[in-house]
Amino acid sequence: MGRLEGKHCLVTAAGAGIGRASALAMAREGAQVLATDIDEAALESLAAEAGGALMVRRLDVLDATAVQAAVAAAGPLDVLVSCAGIVHHGTILDCDEAAWERSVALNMTAMYRLCRAVLPGMIARGGGSIIAIASVASSLIAVPNRFVYGATKAGVIGMTKSIAADFVGQGIRANAICPGTVETPSLQERMRALGDAEAARRAFVERQPMKRLGRPEEIAHLVVYLASDESAFTTGTEHVIDGGWTNI
Ligand code: NAD
């Protein structure tokens, strides 16, 4: 029997990276997974990779009406994995109003919207687990050139803790996962955008005590744990998973 047998889970940004690995890992553990993303080709390939073990649906988390519709279509949910997020490179002086608004919209408002949509159903069912993908670049550590990213991921942690505090009496748990640097398509894109992708990779690896990047599957193990009843005594936390970058 899988560790998530009977659990209904919704994952955002499941087309690639951490969201994709999480959707696959939860499905392997017996969960009923609705995997969502804006990239329909990525969803098709995910469905094929899962061999029919999960459902896919296009969802742009920037669209409030679409979020409501997706949550309604998903039916009663036990687990939300709020994964969509974007990295803006630069200091406050590089972050114009448009960059600020885009990062706030995707990194924070989308999570606010999703949580408001799923919480009433979770409360009615007597419990649920909200898993927010934050980052160590947040209220945990300052990373150069991550001004609006760090600010919004700190916001993700703050929202997670508030929800944990407000709904602990109704059986809702809310936890944030704070990854370090993880090898995903968007990281590869960012390395290319810096000009010399190989030099950028060396710099990312060099700041890692383990001298390697994380893998999406390693984050997905933590997602499965926080989705499962194994973590029943865990709420309001920030789980650092970063190869030692933050703490050693
Ligand atoms: P990624 O950025 O490679 O892929 C993200 C997915 O999000 C893509 O499939 C894309 O189509 C989808 N997406 C983009 N805009 C969307 C929207 N409006 N609605 C729905 N889906 C949308 O994935 P990743 O690097 O694994 O990042 C996932 C999360 O993990 C993000 O919140 C990111 O900030 C966080 N994170 C990543 C790292 C890392 O090093 N990769 C580290 C810490 C935290």
Side-chain angles (χ1 to χ4, degrees), residues 17-124:
I18 293 167
R20 185 183 182 103
S22 299
L24 287 167
M26 292 196 294
R28 273 195 303 273
E29 289 296 343
Q32 306 278 312
V33 177
L34 180 61
T36 68
D37 200 288
I38 38 169
D39 184 338
E40 293 184 54
L43 287 175
E44 262 177 48
S45 89
L46 172 64
E49 188 178 345
L54 49 69
M55 307 270 288
V56 296
R57 179 187 172 106
R58 185 186 188 279
L59 173 61
D60 179 351
V61 294
L62 297 174
D63 179 342
T65 311
V67 167
Q68 287 291 344
V71 170
L77 282 168
D78 302 291
V79 178
L80 166 67
V81 182
S82 175
C83 186
I86 189 176
V87 177
H88 176 265
H89 180 92
T91 71
I92 186 170
L93 298 179
D94 305 309
C95 181
D96 60 17
E97 296 257 347
W100 171 265
E101 275 164 24
R102 179 156 171 72
S103 291
V104 170
L106 192 53
N107 295 357
M108 287 185 68
T109 310
M111 173 181 163
Y112 148 81
R113 196 173 274 153
L114 279 152
C115 292
R116 265 179 68 89
V118 303
L119 272 166
M122 287 182 173
I123 292 166

Side-chain angles (χ1 to χ4, degrees), residues 12-20 36-40 42 58-63 82-87 102 106-107 110 132-137 149 153 156 177-190 204 207 214 216 219 241 245:
T12 69
I18 293 167
R20 185 183 182 103
T36 68
D37 200 288
I38 38 169
D39 184 338
E40 293 184 54
R58 185 186 188 279
L59 173 61
D60 179 351
V61 294
L62 297 174
D63 179 342
S82 175
C83 186
I86 189 176
V87 177
R102 179 156 171 72
L106 192 53
N107 295 357
I133 307 300
S135 172
V136 294
Y149 186 71
K153 290 299 187 178
V156 167
I177 292 180
C178 301
T181 311
V182 182
E183 182 91 55
T184 64
S186 69
L187 180 76
Q188 287 156 354
E189 206 176 291
R190 277 183 282 132
F204 277 124
R207 72 183 184 187
I219 315 301
I241 175 163
W245 183 24

